């Protein structure tokens, strides 16, 4: 039962077998922290700890899914399913769904994302007739978020003269009124935003001792991943839940604390020993990811930070190639250098596009490398641009889905009450708002109360409002016994949104239709994906929750493309070959983050993260000149380049581009036809009685959703026969053969 312990080194084994009492695992980059977390949970279960009593908190759904899969392979699916495991927001949303009535919320409350929250703030600013130059919706929303994450409620705000004075100095003396109205409107609409999932959980645990006692007793063993990224509100919840049994295990790396702008507080990990004086400290210092030159070079950088925990990262990997420090004339030359270098490495070393990642400090820096890659026909994918779910046409349809799920959802109603256009203008909406506030009812319910003598709405408009209300109610009835795909298909057909965009006839409208089509494809993919899971839930509610909790950090790079992303986006990822662009003063470190030691140290940690994404090859690039607002300015190499030990670097002289060389190489590539090794595809058939298996262990298979992978294990169990497959991009998954669409590649 303990053969898994043999897979661990001595440093990893100690926190795994630690049973009772608080512990902190300081895990360096590439040191196997996920394995330690996973095996610690497995070990607890093997020590007869009930999985129902284990809580594991992560920052991404991807991390939670990966851990759960690994655990299920060791202790079985039934045991793994009983663990409370997920992101902070998803786990606390689950608790609040159960306990929400205590706080005055229904159990089917809506979760607003950042865009929804900002839209509500914007409406409030408009209603209060405030100066939009002083009261910018995004800034106000961010401030509300910051206050909530620091556990400062509306009541706390008005009782704190210092905070009020800060807003007065910023010419935002009415901020408190906006904050108060925002909270009231959310409550009336049965809505919680992302920050509320933490704030309301704190409120629940503080106000209701019986609820706190219930969950303290339930969660006897608590594990927290990426503890360096926790904020004050998360710290308070973790502390409260773990207070009775003190069996708290946190894993993190202070050197990778890079999210202070999101409220992350590095003091949580730096002061863990102070918070839990009896804690055991374990260190994972062996790096399994990177070459020795990369590890030592990164060490030489991070040692310049004063606020850090002591650790010495090392590796048994070979030295590898030295880190290249490239100097280019301009950002365009920098882009061409990186593109040509990728091109040459691909052909000389027979590498895939997915082996390469290009990292930068700001999204704007992607332009030069994108131009260069396009010119030599290298496919790439940019991460961190406008999210699919933030596009207007997608938000509109999601608003319909949210409204039929929760009729009290005010912002969703406002968004779609006149889209596609049905002759209901802002004046009418203002009258509905008046009825809503006067009678203290939801905006949707106000449509049923149009007989208020103080609010005059003409007959024609009343008919339009009633038609809209009846349409929404009919959608709600339709959705009751339908899955998410059936529901959205029905709604799109009935509101005729595709025809609306077709009639516009513009290129933008065509792109919107393509996006709508892709949304439908995505929901269908969601349904198909549920078929392969042991806990299948095809409901609209489940889909909406997945969308609401969706984050960029859960996206995975394309199998066929070079990855372009900011360093923040790259955290948690790894690539054989990495390029870091723009290593110049005022760019990296950012000019916005050099005003204090704390800021500079976070920038240095960010650079450390960038360096440690690389497995075999790392190039750090800077320019002599760079365009700023159309003007060419002189650039100074980043102070961080001066801090790394030259012993591990190879400082190149200026590399002149050779366009003719690139063109000739490209010509040769175009004349080279890559052979396809995919033969006639084999499949298996299923029936209610038995499943014909045409795959075997070690087969290389292709799955439409997860991509290419290798069959590791086959378990024959009639209708529940399954295969464990290690997918190149999606990790190891256990799929039901009854539903899995597998193709054998020979």
């Amino acid at each position: 039962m303990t053969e898994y312990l043999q897979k661990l080194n001595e440093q990893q084994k100690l926190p795994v077998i630690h049973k009772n009492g608080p512990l902190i695992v300081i895990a360096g980059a590439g040191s196997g922290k996920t394995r330690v977390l996973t095996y610690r949970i497995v070990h607890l279960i093997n020590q007869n700890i009930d999985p129902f009593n284990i809580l594991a908190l992560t920052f991404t759904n991807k991390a939670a899914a990966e851990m759960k899969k690994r655990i299920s392979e060791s202790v079985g699916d039934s045991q793994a399913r009983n663990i409370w495991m997920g992101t902070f927001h998803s786990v606390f949303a689950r608790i609040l769904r159960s306990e929400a009535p205590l706080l005055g919320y229904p159990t089917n409350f809506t979760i607003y994302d950042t865009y929804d929250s900002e839209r509500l703030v914007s409406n409030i600013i408009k209603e209060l007739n405030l100066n939009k130059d002083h009261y910018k919706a995004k800034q106000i929303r961010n401030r509300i978020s910051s206050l909530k994450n620091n556990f400062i409620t509306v009541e706390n705000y008005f009782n704190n003269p210092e905070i009020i004075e800060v807003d007065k100095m910023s010419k935002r003396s009415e901020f408190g009124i906006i904050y108060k109205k925002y909270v009231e409107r959310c409550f009336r609409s049965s809505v919680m935003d992302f920050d509320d999932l933490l704030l309301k959980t704190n409120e629940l645990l503080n106000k209701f001792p019986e609820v706190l006692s219930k969950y303290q007793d339930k969660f006897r063993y608590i594990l927290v991943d990426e503890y360096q990224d926790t904020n004050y509100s998360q710290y308070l919840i973790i502390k409260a839940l773990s207070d009775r049994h003190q069996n708290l295990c946190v894993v993190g790396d202070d050197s990778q604390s890079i999210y202070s702008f999101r409220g992350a507080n590095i003091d949580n990990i730096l002061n863990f020993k102070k918070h839990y004086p009896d804690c055991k400290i374990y260190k994972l210092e062996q790096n399994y990811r990177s070459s020795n030159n990369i590890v030592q070079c990164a060490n030489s950088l991070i040692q310049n930070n004063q606020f850090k925990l002591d650790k010495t990262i090392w590796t048994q990997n070979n030295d590898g190639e030295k880190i290249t420090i490239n100097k280019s004339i301009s950002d365009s030359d920098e882009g061409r250098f990186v593109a040509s270098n990728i091109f040459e490495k691909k052909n000389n070393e027979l590498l895939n596009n997915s082996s390469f990642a290009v990292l930068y400090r700001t999204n704007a820096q992607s332009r030069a490398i994108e131009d260069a890659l396009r010119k030599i026909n290298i496919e790439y994918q940019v991460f961190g641009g406008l999210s699919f779910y933030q596009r207007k046409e997608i938000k509109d349809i999601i608003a319909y889905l949210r409204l039929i799920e929760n009729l009290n959802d005010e912002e969703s109603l406002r968004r779609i009450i006149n889209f596609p256009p049905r002759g209901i203008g802002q004046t009418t909406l203002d009258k509905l708002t008046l009825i809503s506030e006067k009678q203290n009812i939801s905006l949707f319910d106000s449509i049923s109360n149009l007989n208020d003598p103080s609010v005059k709405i003409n007959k024609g408009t009343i008919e339009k409002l009633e038609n809209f209300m009846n349409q929404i109610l009919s959608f709600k009835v339709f959705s009751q016994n339908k899955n998410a795909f059936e529901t959205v298909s029905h709604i799109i057909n009935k509101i005729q949104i595709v025809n609306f965009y077709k009639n516009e006839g513009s290129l933008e409208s065509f792109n919107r239709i393509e996006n709508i089509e892709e949304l439908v494809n995505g929901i269908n993919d969601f349904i198909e994906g549920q078929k392969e899971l042991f806990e299948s839930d095809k409901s609209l509610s489940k889909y909406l929750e997945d969308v609401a909790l969706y984050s960029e950090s859960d996206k995975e790079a394309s199998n066929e493309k070079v990855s372009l992303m900011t360093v923040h986006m790259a955290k948690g990822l790894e690539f054989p070959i990495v390029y870091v662009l723009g290593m110049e003063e005022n760019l990296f470190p950012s000019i916005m983050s050099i005003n204090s030691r704390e800021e500079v140290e976070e920038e240095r940690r960010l650079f450390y993260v960038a360096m440690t994404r690389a497995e075999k090859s790392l190039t750090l690039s800077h320019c002599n000149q760079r365009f700023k607002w159309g003007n060419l300015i002189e650039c100074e190499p980043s102070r961080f380049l001066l801090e790394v030990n030259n012993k591990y670097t190879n400082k190149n002289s200026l590399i002149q581009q050779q366009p003719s060389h690139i063109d000739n190489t490209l010509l040769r590539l175009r004349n080279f036809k890559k052979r396809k090794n995919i033969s006639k595809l084999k499949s298996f058939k299923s029936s209610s009685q038995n499943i014909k298996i045409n795959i075997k262990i070690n087969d290389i298979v292709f799955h439409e959703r997860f991509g290419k992978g290798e069959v590791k294990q086959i378990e024959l169990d009639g209708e529940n026969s399954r295969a464990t497959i290690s997918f190149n991009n999606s990790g190891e998954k256990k799929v039901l053969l009854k539903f899995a669409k597998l193709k054998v590649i020979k």
Side-chain angles (χ1 to χ4, degrees):
M1 290 292 291
T2 59
E3 64 273 6
Y4 53 88
L5 294 177
Q6 306 306 313
K7 301 176 183 179
L8 303 171
N9 64 36
E10 286 303 309
Q11 286 182 319
Q12 295 170 333
K13 190 182 298 182
L14 291 173
V16 167
I17 62 177
H18 177 117
K19 189 172 182 181
N20 294 321
L23 69 149
I24 179 172
V25 183
I26 303 166
S31 62
K33 70 175 179 65
T34 302
R35 173 175 286 194
V36 167
L37 275 172
T38 301
Y39 287 166
R40 174 165 170 78
I41 294 173
V42 169
H43 192 70
L44 287 171
I45 294 172
N46 286 337
Q47 296 296 307
N48 297 318
I49 303 300
D50 193 333
F52 282 104
N53 296 139
I54 299 174
L55 169 65
L57 297 168
T58 67
F59 274 86
T60 68
N61 293 311
K62 178 184 173 184
E66 183 183 349
M67 286 174 60
K68 205 161 198 172
K69 284 290 181 184
R70 294 189 187 183
I71 293 167
S72 68
E73 289 161 8
S74 295
V75 300
D77 298 316
S78 60
Q79 293 279 63
R81 284 200 300 271
N82 295 334
I83 303 167
W84 276 58
M85 180 180 293
T87 65
F88 283 87
H89 292 97
S90 66
V91 168
F92 298 155
R94 183 177 173 184
I95 291 174
L96 289 168
R97 292 277 185 213
S98 175
E99 312 293 343
L102 291 172
L103 300 172
Y105 287 84
T107 56
N108 67 332
F109 61 83
T110 298
I111 301 172
Y112 273 3
D113 63 14
T114 302
Y115 183 90
D116 298 316
S117 300
E118 192 175 315
R119 184 178 169 89
L120 176 56
V121 169
S122 181
N123 285 332
I124 293 171
I125 291 170
K126 186 177 179 181
E127 291 164 12
L128 293 173
N129 250 344
L130 298 174
N131 188 326
K132 290 184 178 180
D133 291 333
H134 295 157
Y135 296 89
K136 294 180 178 178
K138 187 173 184 177
Q139 292 177 355
I140 299 296
R141 190 269 160 199
N142 288 342
R143 178 141 175 79
I144 290 173
S145 175
S146 177
L147 291 175
K148 285 186 176 183
N149 282 325
N150 284 285
F151 212 40
I152 300 172
T153 63
V154 171
E155 184 181 358
N156 297 143
Y157 176 87
F158 283 109
N159 289 329
N160 194 320
E162 291 182 8
I163 298 179
I164 294 173
E165 186 61 30
V166 169
D167 287 318
K168 285 182 179 179
M169 295 290 289
S170 303
K171 298 182 179 180
R172 294 195 294 243
S173 57
E174 303 298 310
F175 171 81
I177 296 173
I178 300 173
Y179 188 13
K180 185 172 184 291
K181 276 190 170 290
Y182 174 83
V183 170
E184 290 173 346
R185 293 274 279 275
C186 284
F187 183 75
R188 192 169 67 218
S189 299
S190 302
V191 162
M192 291 191 194
D193 61 25
F194 262 35
D195 304 306
D196 282 330
L197 297 178
L198 303 180
L199 183 68
K200 297 299 179 184
T201 302
N202 263 309
E203 186 180 338
L204 185 71
L205 300 179
N206 283 327
K207 286 187 176 179
F208 302 95
E210 68 280 10
V211 175
L212 174 60
S213 180
K214 169 185 171 182
Y215 287 102
Q216 282 181 335
D217 191 56
K218 181 175 183 60
F219 303 135
R220 301 191 175 200
Y221 290 84
I222 300 174
L223 301 93
V224 184
D225 192 16
E226 305 286 6
Y227 191 67
Q228 77 280 350
D229 295 333
T230 54
N231 59 31
Y232 182 60
S233 191
Q234 289 163 332
Y235 160 76
L236 289 176
I237 296 171
I238 295 165
K239 194 172 189 309
L241 291 174
S242 63
D243 194 50
R244 178 177 297 179
H245 297 285
Q246 293 281 305
N247 295 323
L248 173 63
C249 169
V250 304
V251 180
D253 182 7
D254 58 296
S255 297
Q256 297 186 66
S257 178
I258 59 174
Y259 293 121
S260 65
F261 65 95
R262 293 183 186 171
N265 187 353
I266 192 174
D267 289 341
N268 290 347
I269 191 168
L270 294 180
N271 296 329
F272 187 83
K273 180 70 175 175
K274 291 181 182 178
H275 300 153
Y276 300 89
D278 297 329
C279 76
K280 290 285 187 180
I281 300 174
Y282 301 100
K283 298 178 182 180
L284 305 184
E285 297 175 302
Q286 183 176 358
N287 180 300
Y288 291 92
R289 175 187 301 156
S290 306
S291 68
N292 186 57
N293 278 325
I294 294 172
V295 169
Q296 298 304 331
C297 192
N299 283 346
S300 69
L301 169 85
I302 204 64
Q303 69 180 9
N304 290 279
N305 272 7
Q306 289 187 12
F307 304 114
K308 63 182 187 298
L309 298 171
D310 291 332
K311 58 182 176 297
T312 303
I313 307 302
W314 59 279
T315 184
Q316 289 183 338
N317 296 337
N318 59 34
D319 286 345
E321 60 185 74
K322 288 190 174 183
I323 287 76
T324 297
I325 297 181
N326 174 68
K327 180 172 67 174
S328 295
I329 296 174
S330 67
D331 50 353
S332 296
D333 289 317
E334 180 180 59
R336 286 191 288 270
F337 162 73
V338 173
S340 65
N341 197 259
I342 291 173
F343 191 88
E344 290 174 6
K345 283 182 178 289
K346 274 188 64 179
N347 290 282
N348 294 338
E349 301 176 29
L350 302 177
L351 299 172
N352 296 322
N353 285 336
S354 57
S355 298
F356 302 88
V358 183
L359 312 182
Y360 33 78
R361 182 63 179 84
T362 66
N363 275 308
Q365 291 173 253
S366 74
R367 191 270 312 163
I369 182 63
E370 286 189 69
D371 286 350
L373 290 171
R374 278 198 300 267
K375 286 175 182 175
I376 56 175
N377 289 339
I378 293 179
E379 288 190 277
Y380 65 88
Q381 186 168 358
V382 180
F383 292 82
L386 185 63
S387 170
F388 178 80
Y389 292 99
Q390 300 302 324
R391 295 169 189 171
K392 180 189 179 304
E393 60 279 11
I394 304 303
K395 294 289 290 185
D396 289 337
I397 296 174
I398 294 293
Y400 272 96
L401 301 180
R402 283 179 169 175
L403 186 58
I404 67 173
E405 187 68 10
N406 174 13
L407 297 177
N408 294 329
D409 187 342
E410 178 181 329
E411 285 307 298
S412 292
L413 185 146
R414 287 179 179 275
R415 184 176 189 95
I416 53 102
I417 194 169
N418 197 42
F419 187 82
R422 49 176 63 90
I424 302 173
Q426 186 60 45
T427 302
T428 301
L429 197 53
D430 290 342
K431 291 177 180 179
L432 290 177
T433 303
L434 188 62
I435 296 173
S436 170
E437 294 190 345
K438 188 178 177 182
Q439 300 186 26
N440 197 29
I441 57 178
S442 72
L443 204 57
F444 188 86
D445 285 341
S446 68
I447 300 175
S448 302
N449 291 266
L450 301 177
N451 55 356
D452 191 320
S454 64
V455 182
K456 296 181 180 179
I457 302 177
N458 64 55
K459 272 189 179 181
T461 302
I462 289 176
E463 184 178 353
K464 293 171 184 174
L465 287 169
E466 287 177 345
N467 288 340
F468 169 74
M469 179 182 66
N470 291 332
Q471 186 181 54
I472 296 300
L473 290 174
S474 73
F475 290 161
K476 189 173 183 66
V477 171
F478 180 89
S479 70
Q480 297 304 308
N481 299 312
K482 304 292 183 181
N483 62 39
F485 175 78
E486 292 168 326
T487 300
V488 76
S489 299
H490 177 74
I491 291 173
I492 288 172
N493 180 55
K494 290 296 182 181
I495 66 176
Q496 297 187 345
I497 190 172
V498 174
N499 286 336
F500 171 78
Y501 284 123
K502 278 184 179 178
N503 292 334
E504 285 192 348
S506 66
L507 178 61
E508 184 182 7
S509 298
F510 178 76
N511 291 334
R512 292 189 189 279
I513 292 172
E514 285 188 327
N515 287 334
I516 293 170
E517 181 184 10
E518 190 56 33
L519 175 67
V520 175
N521 293 339
I523 298 176
N524 186 53
D525 192 57
F526 161 79
I527 298 296
E528 291 299 310
Q530 289 293 313
K531 291 180 181 178
E532 301 181 31
L533 303 179
F534 293 107
E535 294 179 303
S536 178
D537 184 355
K538 305 172 187 176
S539 68
L540 177 61
S541 176
K542 175 61 179 172
Y543 173 74
L544 287 175
E545 185 161 305
D546 282 3
V547 170
L549 298 174
Y550 176 86
S551 68
E552 294 288 338
S553 59
D554 291 322
K555 291 184 177 179
E556 296 187 46
S558 166
N559 204 21
E560 303 297 331
K561 298 178 181 179
V562 174
S563 297
L564 311 185
M565 66 187 79
T566 64
V567 181
H568 282 101
M569 289 291 298
K571 188 174 179 294
L573 303 177
E574 57 188 51
F575 303 88
I577 301 170
V578 172
Y579 303 85
V580 186
L581 308 186
M583 292 304 306
E584 299 136 32
E585 281 294 299
N586 300 329
L587 185 55
F588 203 169
S590 167
I591 194 171
M592 305 296 293
S593 303
I594 54 175
N595 299 310
S596 68
R597 177 175 296 279
E598 288 79 8
E599 289 178 346
V600 173
E601 292 206 353
E602 176 152 335
E603 287 288 295
R604 188 176 287 111
R605 292 194 296 269
L606 187 61
F607 182 36
Y608 177 84
V609 167
M611 296 175 73
T612 54
R613 298 313 91 198
E615 298 171 354
K616 298 178 180 179
S617 174
L618 174 64
T619 298
L620 311 175
S621 180
H622 67 102
C623 304
N624 286 343
Q625 299 172 316
R626 188 174 294 272
F627 279 100
K628 298 281 187 181
W629 298 103
N631 298 312
L632 204 57
I633 64 166
E634 297 294 321
C635 299
E636 180 184 349
S638 170
R639 68 187 73 185
F640 300 148
L641 292 180
L642 303 177
E643 292 175 355
V644 298
N645 193 327
N646 289 338
K647 178 182 177 182
Y648 309 107
T649 69
N650 177 22
K651 290 188 176 181
N652 287 353
S653 59
L654 178 66
I655 298 180
Q656 301 292 338
Q657 302 301 315
Q658 304 288 337
S660 60
H661 170 71
I662 296 174
D663 292 343
N664 290 335
T665 309
L666 180 59
L667 184 62
R668 290 196 301 271
L669 182 67
R670 286 172 175 169
N671 292 332
F672 175 72
K673 294 183 178 180
K674 193 175 183 180
R675 286 189 295 239
K676 302 290 183 181
N677 292 321
I678 302 178
S679 69
K680 188 175 181 180
L681 301 169
K682 296 182 179 179
S683 63
F684 56 84
K685 300 177 180 179
S686 65
S687 70
S688 60
Q689 299 299 321
N690 55 61
I691 297 175
K692 185 180 179 181
I693 310 293
N694 281 346
I695 62 171
K696 58 184 184 295
I697 294 174
N698 297 327
D699 272 354
I700 305 299
V701 298
F702 180 82
H703 186 283
E704 290 181 355
R705 184 171 293 103
F706 306 129
K708 188 178 176 183
E710 182 180 354
V711 180
K712 296 293 188 181
Q713 185 180 1
I714 297 174
E715 299 171 65
L716 300 179
D717 186 21
E719 290 286 290
N720 292 318
S721 294
R722 65 200 69 152
T724 301
I725 303 172
S726 179
F727 293 100
N728 294 353
N729 289 329
S730 306
E732 210 162 64
K733 295 186 179 294
K734 188 170 289 188
V735 299
L736 287 170
L737 295 179
K738 177 180 176 181
F739 298 112
K741 299 174 182 176
L742 298 173
K743 298 173 181 177
V744 180
I745 303 173
K746 284 192 173 179

